[in-house]
Amino acid sequence: MPTNTLSPPLLDVHDLCVSFTSRGQVVPIVENLSFSIGEQEILGLVGESGSGKSVTAMALMGLIDAPGVHVSGSARFKGQDLLGLSGKQMRALRGREIAMIFQDPMTAFTPVYTIGWQIDEQLRAHHNLSRKQARTRTVELLGEMGVPDPANTANRYPHQLSGGLRQRAMIAMALSCNPSLLIADEPTTALDVTVQAQILDLMRRLRTTYGSSVLLITHDMGVVAETCDSTLVLYSGRAAETGATQDLFAHPQHPYTAALLASIPPMNGPRPDRLPAIPGTPPQPLERPAGCAFAPRCTYTHASCLPAPPPTFCTVGPAHKVACVLPGEGNPLPKRAYTSATPVL
Amino acid sequence: MQFPSPTVQAAPPRSSSGATQPLLAVRDVYKTYSLKHGQTLRAVDGVSFTVMPGEVLGLVGESGCGKSTLGRCLLRLNDVSAGQIIFDGQDITRLPERILRPLRQQMQMVFQDSYASLNPRRRIGDLLAEPLRVHRTPDGRKHTPMAIAHRLEELMELVSLPRAALERYPHEFSGGQRQRVNIARALVLSPRLVVADEPVSALDVSVQAQIVNLFADLQKSLGLTYVFIAHDLAVVRQISTRVAVMYLGVIVELGETDTVLHNPAHPYTIALTQAVPRPVVGAPRHAPLRGEIPSPVNKPSGCRFHTRCPAVQTRCQNEAPTLTQIAPNHAVACHYPVLKSTHA
Ligand SMILES: Nc1ncnc2c1ncn2[C@@H]1O[C@H](COP(=O)(O)OP(=O)(O)OP(=O)(O)O)[C@@H](O)[C@H]1O
Ligand SMILES: Nc1ncnc2c1ncn2[C@@H]1O[C@H](COP(=O)(O)OP(=O)(O)O)[C@@H](O)[C@H]1O
Ligand code: SF4
Ligand code: SF4
Ligand SMILES: [Mg+2]
Ligand SMILES: [Mg+2]
């Protein structure tokens, strides 16, 4: 869905930095992250485990306040800076304006109450509803999320539901107050593909039925390609590339994005003898190079990649930006060679 | 890190027969677990297949369908409840451990969780030497310290780890490197059959391809036979010569990789291939199936897929289809298989 370029974005994150202090050392986790999400837009935040996706989400939700944590930057949401809000202000916003769902739905529910009761309570905390009115709405919501027999399912405890049903119940709870922004952290990672496909269908429908924007966090490039309007690729706590999903997948311009896409085994066409693998592993935060974080693994590393500071975003197309020195040096990567003409299985 | 072609040669084939005999034959295998309240769960519910030497059989299916249970049964890490496991012509289903022991050298397992399967307090060299200290050479002698040291160096080369890795502890490695160590450990005794249970599922995306390549390289250079369990169809396609699709304890489709994945005949396989999200932007596809896999404790009657099958007919509710050959090297358990890519 094209985002309206005239209205300001729903969420505008600027220079977000998160660090932890561990044994007297400052560990930079997320560095200078900037992105925005438009009304009814789905933005995919994609990166490998440890790249800082969850930390980003938690920072936006005001959910990391452990000792030694330092968060800086700004995150403007409907005219206010989320990072400057007090705990009380943030709590008022959470659930009502911004809701979050997790990979493991068990973390969202307490085991001792039925899921229906917990969604009722969430509704009643933000709206003036009788218990009966709340339950009517709960059953309606569960039904809309594709839960079969919602009236009875509402009376069941979290552990009595399958993973897919729990995930739907959690989405129902997250949407109960019609939030403008839903942050979904790996919502389908623990699910089977056939159920994952159902939940992704649901995600895509949210913006039309609920007018919600979604920040979808995942490590799966396939999930991003099928679900997100725009994409932000994270590598070792830093933004590597961002753009409209269509453009980014057609012509990835950061060597990491390109190499990652190339390393995914194809489902059709000839099977390569060997996959074009990326050598090595992502660096730990404390071992992150001063220059480009991908330099130790990149095929194109050269002198200008190595000195600090890391490359900043270079614009390569409308809304398409790359944190790599190549485009600026007049050596952009070639287009991705994939056979979109081949029917996807 | 690049992968030089392994320099170590395959152990000479120990099969007394030619390559026409399967290395592994599974005949109508059941594995039942007893639960509380007298309930039983048939995790593997009548499975038969064979694997020829040098073949890679990919085993796919959704969580809980019985892949790991079956994998463990193949290596006698689980005892089966009924049926036969035949390894290299020998029925090992009920062999006592004492007789099974020398055969165990020839079949090894690699697990998903690279960390849980390595003792954190022991150096890699120690971990790898252990099987050599426990097992004897084919002619019944102990392995000498020299031979052990030599073998460990060979193994490091095989899995593209530096020799110095032998002196290090598991926590000093990344997930991908630990998986290399696990693979090395499975190879210590030059097995012929390796069962790998989701060996790349827990790895970072950018590291998965390295390990898939390593599995493929080793298979070719050592002439290994794999049963490769994974839920990622693209990974399975990359590595397998044949694919078996499981649903609720049974194999519903079995055949050549490209046949099963590109011309699937079972409605479940079709749905599974359609559900895989691909890194290509196109028209959003819709979920091919409704609902979830039913509980294995209360399996549906008749065809166990009938509660979710888009092609279900009355007969399916009462009569269970059996795995039937529909073309050479292509078998399907469905009353109404979809023939010749009419679903494309
Ligand atoms: N020790 C056990 N006792 C009772 N039930 C078990 C036991 N081990 C497995 N099961 C059950 O047997 C069924 C098959 O389990 P199995 O682990 O083989 O599935 P799987 O296909 O490997 O799934 P996954 O993809 O999640 O690894 C499941 O319903 C599981 O809950
Ligand atoms: N409470 C914490 N204290 C110290 N380091 C942390 C903490 N939480 C996360 N990290 C580190 O931050 C990095 C990013 O973690 P995370 O955001 O969870 O990654 P992702 O969600 O992308 O897998 C990792 O290196 C992780 O070890
Ligand atoms: S800046 Fe240099 S090292 Fe980094 S991705 Fe670009 S070419 Fe590779
Ligand atoms: S037997 Fe019937 S229910 Fe089962 S897969 Fe075939 S068509 Fe579907
Ligand atoms: Mg995370
Ligand atoms: Mg398993």
Side-chain angles (χ1 to χ4, degrees):
Chain A
M1 185 162 297
T3 47
N4 188 344
T5 43
L6 296 176
S7 60
L10 178 70
L11 174 70
D12 198 6
V13 177
H14 192 70
D15 257 345
L16 175 70
C17 298
V18 184
S19 58
F20 293 98
T21 311
S22 159
R23 297 200 203 106
Q25 257 179 321
V26 178
V27 187
I29 303 296
V30 174
E31 293 179 47
N32 305 93
L33 198 59
S34 300
F35 62 90
S36 59
I37 305 180
E39 302 274 357
Q40 301 190 14
E41 181 182 346
I42 304 183
L43 171 70
L45 180 59
V46 58
E48 300 180 56
S49 102
S51 59
K53 307 180 296 295
S54 299
V55 164
T56 301
M58 301 301 257
L60 294 177
M61 291 290 282
L63 290 174
I64 32 174
D65 47 5
V69 176
H70 187 74
V71 180
S72 66
S74 67
R76 298 208 72 77
F77 175 82
K78 292 196 169 177
Q80 42 190 343
D81 182 3
L82 295 178
L83 304 183
L85 295 183
S86 70
K88 193 171 163 219
Q89 289 169 312
M90 196 65 225
R91 272 192 297 279
L93 221 61
R94 261 201 313 263
R96 196 162 47 89
E97 283 287 354
I98 309 181
M100 184 157 176
I101 59 177
F102 306 89
Q103 174 172 344
D104 179 6
M106 287 307 265
T107 55
F109 291 110
T110 30
V112 291
Y113 297 107
T114 64
I115 55 149
W117 190 90
Q118 296 183 57
I119 301 173
D120 295 349
E121 284 303 298
Q122 168 88 4
L123 279 163
R124 280 157 51 86
H126 294 283
H127 301 279
N128 188 14
L129 292 179
S130 72
R131 195 156 277 288
K132 200 159 164 227
Q133 288 168 320
R135 179 48 63 98
T136 308
R137 180 73 191 125
T138 295
V139 170
E140 214 172 77
L141 273 164
L142 287 171
E144 284 166 23
M145 296 310 124
V147 171
D149 192 7
N152 280 318
T153 310
N155 287 324
R156 301 177 67 183
Y157 292 87
H159 71 267
Q160 295 177 321
L161 301 179
S162 67
L165 280 183
R166 273 205 293 266
Q167 202 57 269
R168 284 171 207 274
M170 181 164 62
I171 298 173
M173 182 150 87
L175 293 178
S176 61
C177 300
N178 212 351
S180 355
L181 176 64
L182 180 70
I183 300 181
D185 190 354
E186 309 252 12
T188 60
T189 302
L191 302 176
D192 282 321
V193 282
T194 61
V195 182
Q196 166 172 277
Q198 297 164 10
I199 300 291
L200 294 180
D201 260 357
L202 186 59
M203 291 275 167
R204 282 190 290 260
R205 282 205 311 270
L206 290 184
R207 57 169 156 216
T208 37
T209 46
Y210 287 81
S212 306
S213 305
V214 182
L215 175 62
L216 180 67
I217 297 177
T218 176
H219 64 268
D220 187 331
M221 292 300 251
V223 167
V224 176
E226 292 202 343
T227 319
C228 303
D229 306 303
S230 16
T231 302
L232 172 63
V233 181
L234 214 55
Y235 184 75
S236 193
R238 298 172 185 163
E241 181 163 8
T242 187
T245 303
Q246 181 103 40
D247 302 341
L248 188 138
F249 278 73
H251 191 179
Q253 299 218 35
H254 193 288
Y256 171 64
T257 318
L260 195 59
L261 287 171
S263 75
I264 301 172
M267 270 300 270
N268 35 47
R271 285 191 259 172
D273 254 0
R274 324 185 75 246
L275 295 169
I278 307 177
T281 51
Q284 293 300 311
L286 278 176
E287 287 153 18
R288 207 173 278 162
C292 175
F294 190 54
R297 307 175 72 192
C298 181
T299 330
Y300 306 93
T301 314
H302 56 291
S304 55
C305 309
L306 306 176
T312 50
F313 266 154
C314 163
T315 302
V316 295
H320 192 174
K321 291 179 261 183
V322 194
C324 167
V325 299
L326 291 179
E329 293 172 350
N331 295 312
L333 294 186
K335 281 203 170 182
R336 181 176 175 210
Y338 70 93
T339 48
S340 56
T342 330
V344 179
L345 271 177
Chain B
M1 203 183 306
Q2 286 305 309
F3 316 100
S5 313
T7 51
V8 183
Q9 289 308 302
R14 270 163 288 183
S15 171
S16 45
S17 47
T20 45
Q21 174 182 293
L23 182 62
L24 179 72
V26 176
R27 298 216 182 118
D28 211 18
V29 160
Y30 290 79
K31 173 66 189 176
T32 308
Y33 293 114
S34 310
L35 307 177
K36 281 178 285 185
H37 314 302
Q39 280 182 317
T40 57
L41 186 160
R42 281 206 303 276
V44 177
D45 206 4
V47 163
S48 304
F49 61 88
T50 57
V51 188
M52 299 303 285
E55 226 181 13
V56 178
L57 177 73
L59 194 56
V60 300
E62 294 180 285
S63 187
C65 70
K67 305 181 295 296
S68 299
T69 304
L70 177 60
R72 298 176 58 85
C73 288
L74 301 180
L75 300 188
R76 278 278 315 263
L77 300 174
N78 273 351
D79 280 326
V80 304
S81 310
Q84 283 175 302
I85 309 277
I86 294 152
F87 179 78
D88 197 20
Q90 185 172 4
D91 186 343
I92 62 164
T93 324
R94 276 160 205 93
L95 279 190
E97 195 55 40
R98 181 177 46 83
I99 303 175
L100 190 60
R101 199 154 193 220
L103 283 173
R104 282 210 187 275
Q105 305 184 26
Q106 302 183 35
M107 20 184 199
Q108 295 291 330
M109 187 130 181
V110 177
F111 297 95
Q112 166 173 357
D113 186 342
S114 62
Y115 201 67
S117 33
L118 297 172
N119 183 338
R121 278 187 292 275
R122 299 185 55 192
R123 291 179 208 270
I124 301 306
D126 233 20
L127 284 164
L128 295 182
E130 187 184 75
L132 293 167
R133 298 201 183 103
V134 174
H135 287 274
R136 303 205 159 216
T137 62
D139 46 10
R141 280 175 302 166
K142 276 190 162 178
H143 294 273
T144 64
M146 265 256 289
I148 292 179
H150 181 70
R151 179 66 184 151
L152 296 195
E153 282 177 13
E154 230 174 34
L155 286 165
M156 290 293 98
E157 196 156 336
L158 268 182
V159 300
S160 299
L161 283 175
R163 278 179 196 184
L166 292 169
E167 302 304 319
R168 311 221 307 255
Y169 292 91
H171 73 264
E172 297 176 62
F173 293 91
S174 68
Q177 290 171 322
R178 270 200 302 269
Q179 203 55 294
R180 289 177 193 274
V181 171
N182 271 314
I183 294 168
R185 191 168 61 165
L187 298 180
V188 172
L189 298 167
S190 308
R192 300 163 69 198
L193 174 68
V194 173
V195 175
D197 190 358
E198 304 266 8
V200 299
S201 309
L203 298 177
D204 273 342
V205 192
S206 75
V207 177
Q208 268 193 13
Q210 298 171 9
I211 303 298
V212 171
N213 283 343
L214 177 61
F215 268 101
D217 291 347
L218 292 170
Q219 193 272 327
K220 286 190 203 101
S221 59
L222 303 179
L224 294 172
T225 305
Y226 293 156
V227 174
F228 195 97
I229 302 174
H231 64 265
D232 184 331
L233 290 192
V235 166
V236 165
R237 174 179 189 259
Q238 176 65 22
I239 192 119
S240 310
T241 34
R242 281 193 308 148
V243 172
V245 182
M246 281 185 85
Y247 190 79
L248 280 177
V250 296
I251 291 178
V252 296
E253 184 154 10
L254 176 64
E256 304 272 348
T257 301
D258 283 333
T259 311
V260 171
L261 296 183
H262 296 287
N263 278 319
H266 195 284
Y268 177 63
T269 315
I270 294 170
L272 210 52
T273 56
Q274 288 172 346
V276 180
R278 300 305 302 153
V280 175
V281 181
R285 292 179 290 130
H286 290 292
L289 283 187
R290 299 169 67 87
E292 293 172 51
I293 197 163
S295 155
V297 181
N298 290 307
K299 293 192 187 110
S301 63
C303 171
R304 56 198 74 201
F305 185 56
H306 88 251
T307 52
R308 299 171 82 196
C309 181
V312 58
Q313 316 245 348
T314 325
R315 176 183 175 197
C316 310
Q317 295 166 19
N318 313 312
E319 203 182 314
T322 51
L323 194 63
T324 311
Q325 190 116 341
I326 57 162
N329 215 342
H330 189 189
V332 180
C334 169
H335 296 308
Y336 308 100
V338 180
L339 300 172
K340 283 277 178 285
S341 64
T342 44
H343 53 85

